[in-house]
Amino acid sequence: DAKTTQPPSMDCAEGRAANLPCNHSTISGNEYVYWYRQIHSQGPQYIIHGLKNNETNEMASLIITEDRKSSTLILPHATLRDTAVYYCIVRFRLVGSARQLTFGSGTQLTVLP
Amino acid sequence: EAGVTQFPSHSVIEKGQTVTLRCDPISGHDNLYWYRRVMGKEIKFLLHFVKESKQDESGMPNNRFLAERTGGTYSTLKVQPAELEDSGVYFCASSPLRDRKNTEAFFGQGTRLTVV
């Protein structure tokens, strides 16, 4: 699976959009970009994933550059409960199967009141 | 719908003792995974069950760790004998086997293991 690079920490004001970047310059054509987060003392939680098109769900939006070498996770209106470590993970996705997740060090997002 | 449940939530044992962690996946999920985060390190994959079979156990650190999933329902992870470096948080996750809509993993709250 391709390696990812994320900033170690970011701050965001409550109510503002949080934009978390991720570089994955060695991504291959069949690899997806996944985002998980881990709120303190909880297990990791799936947020969103995408291949090349931008994606949006009830939690966040995912913007993937045209060359797919980087992406941005957007939390449109961050709340204090969004304070967590956010992990950008690149891996193959096989329907009907599931490979292990490779967590890096992630980005510690702190939402400030 | 009940999520992934792990028991116990915390365990403190002495070096050399045995500890067994349990994971109850979401009902109907055939994929079951164990991960762990040891102090100061990243979350690392341990192994993957498909039903009762071990699909991938490449992340198991050594033979002191034994995972089972008899009957393809709940799973146990036994550490025997426990060492100080085994301290950390052990996560279990599950996902459905054949679900085109969502094959993402759902994680439990984890078991915090402290070996003293």
Side-chain angles (χ1 to χ4, degrees):
Chain A
D1 295 332
K3 181 179 172 59
T4 62
T5 303
Q6 300 177 251
S9 64
M10 292 182 63
D11 292 340
C12 176
E14 187 178 19
R16 305 296 293 270
N19 297 283
L20 293 96
C22 179
N23 287 321
H24 31 80
S25 58
T26 60
I27 192 170
S28 68
N30 297 326
E31 288 181 307
Y32 287 69
V33 180
Y34 288 79
W35 284 83
Y36 279 74
R37 73 179 182 182
Q38 186 182 15
I39 297 171
H40 184 60
S41 298
Q42 297 183 22
Q45 176 189 26
Y46 165 80
I47 301 173
I48 198 168
H49 74 276
L51 180 62
K52 54 183 178 182
N53 297 322
N54 297 337
E55 302 288 344
T56 296
N57 63 20
E58 64 279 3
M59 291 182 67
S61 294
L62 174 61
I63 308 298
I64 303 174
T65 58
E66 190 169 345
D67 63 8
R68 304 207 323 122
K69 293 184 177 182
S70 64
S71 60
T72 301
L73 178 74
I74 300 173
L75 307 179
H77 306 286
T79 70
L80 298 179
R81 287 175 293 182
D82 291 322
T83 293
V85 179
Y86 287 77
Y87 297 97
C88 171
I89 299 169
V90 173
R91 68 168 174 133
F92 295 100
R93 180 170 186 259
L94 303 174
V95 174
S97 178
R99 287 185 57 184
Q100 56 171 290
L101 295 166
T102 301
F103 291 87
S105 52
T107 296
Q108 170 65 59
L109 174 69
T110 302
V111 181
L112 304 171
Chain B
E1 177 182 283
V4 176
T5 309
Q6 294 187 242
F7 302 97
S9 56
H10 293 85
S11 180
V12 180
I13 62 171
E14 292 183 351
K15 176 183 172 183
Q17 289 186 324
T18 298
V19 63
T20 300
L21 314 181
R22 172 170 169 146
C23 169
D24 286 72
I26 293 173
S27 178
H29 281 192
D30 290 325
N31 287 308
L32 188 148
Y33 310 83
W34 284 97
Y35 290 81
R36 74 170 181 176
R37 182 206 294 272
V38 295
M39 198 61 66
K41 300 289 184 62
E42 300 169 355
I43 299 172
K44 295 291 188 184
F45 165 81
L46 295 178
L47 89 160
H48 170 202
F49 283 99
V50 176
K51 298 184 180 180
E52 68 276 7
S53 300
K54 292 177 183 176
Q55 184 79 6
D56 180 356
E57 52 185 329
S58 60
M60 294 288 266
N62 52 61
N63 58 11
R64 295 186 295 103
F65 290 76
L66 175 64
E68 295 180 322
R69 193 182 181 195
T70 306
T73 54
Y74 71 90
S75 174
T76 58
L77 179 64
K78 182 163 71 174
V79 185
Q80 178 183 31
E83 298 290 346
L84 298 178
E85 63 264 25
D86 300 331
S87 295
V89 183
Y90 290 75
F91 294 105
C92 176
S94 72
S95 68
L97 184 59
R98 298 186 187 282
D99 182 347
R100 287 184 174 272
K101 181 179 178 181
N102 182 11
T103 56
E104 299 325 307
F106 297 84
F107 283 78
Q109 299 283 76
T111 293
R112 180 172 295 278
L113 174 65
T114 302
V115 183
V116 297

